Amino acid sequence: METQQLFFINIGRTNMKKAVYPGSFDPITNGHLDIIERASKLFDELTVAVLVNPDKKGMFDIDERVDLIKKVTKQYDNVSVVSFNGLLIDFMNKNGIDVIVKGLRAVSDFEYELQMALMNNKLDATKETVFMMTSAKYSFLSSSAVKQVAKFGGCIKELVPDELVELISKKVK
Ligand code: PNS
């Protein structure tokens, strides 16, 4: 019985499907969170990878973004959150990840996302991009729209996780 159990544990490990959900997440929205929740059910491990972009100053710095995403995803046992710089493909190879998860909101996202997926596949043909359709209720949502609404005093409740509402409002003041 013990040997049998060990055998299955080993098989499970070698067949683990690991995916990465990369992005800027400045800040994470309920649309991102929805993709994280759904993708965490499809893969054994999901890594949320926050891009360090030295050319772009965000509302939240990288450590803040990582901490916030960790906070709002703590209920998902197979989700981890890290930052990365450089090529996504290099990050994936270092971490044994073969699948990229991206959310698609509308046709307008498609062109940019297709270009990135094809470029990543050209850089490393063993990597696949899996597109998940954003839930209809979040199809209008983006980090930049949230920042703009907050900046002009609009209500961002229900657009971002509750924990972030106050923090974002403070940032824009
Ligand atoms: O949330 P965003 O800003 O649309 O995310 C873009 C991201 C981070 C997924 C993309 O810019 C990226 O993967 N950057 C890393 C650099 C890279 O690998 N580029 C090659 C693909 S074009």
Side-chain angles (χ1 to χ4, degrees), residues 6-26:
L6 269 176
F7 176 74
F8 282 120
I9 287 167
N10 277 332
I11 289 285
R13 271 196 194 141
T14 49
N15 286 339
M16 285 256 266
K17 262 289 162 221
K18 293 183 179 187
V20 62
Y21 180 41
S24 307
F25 304 107
D26 185 43

Side-chain angles (χ1 to χ4, degrees), residues 21-26 32 49-53 56 84-90 100 102 105 112-113 115-117 119-120 123 143:
Y21 180 41
S24 307
F25 304 107
D26 185 43
H32 294 130
V50 186
L51 175 72
V52 179
N53 185 350
K56 215 167 141 189
F84 79 104
N85 52 32
L87 286 178
L88 178 62
I89 291 296
D90 291 340
I100 303 164
K102 296 303 295 277
R105 284 166 302 193
Y112 171 67
E113 292 297 345
Q115 190 186 12
M116 263 202 289
M119 177 58 85
N120 284 325
L123 292 171
S143 298

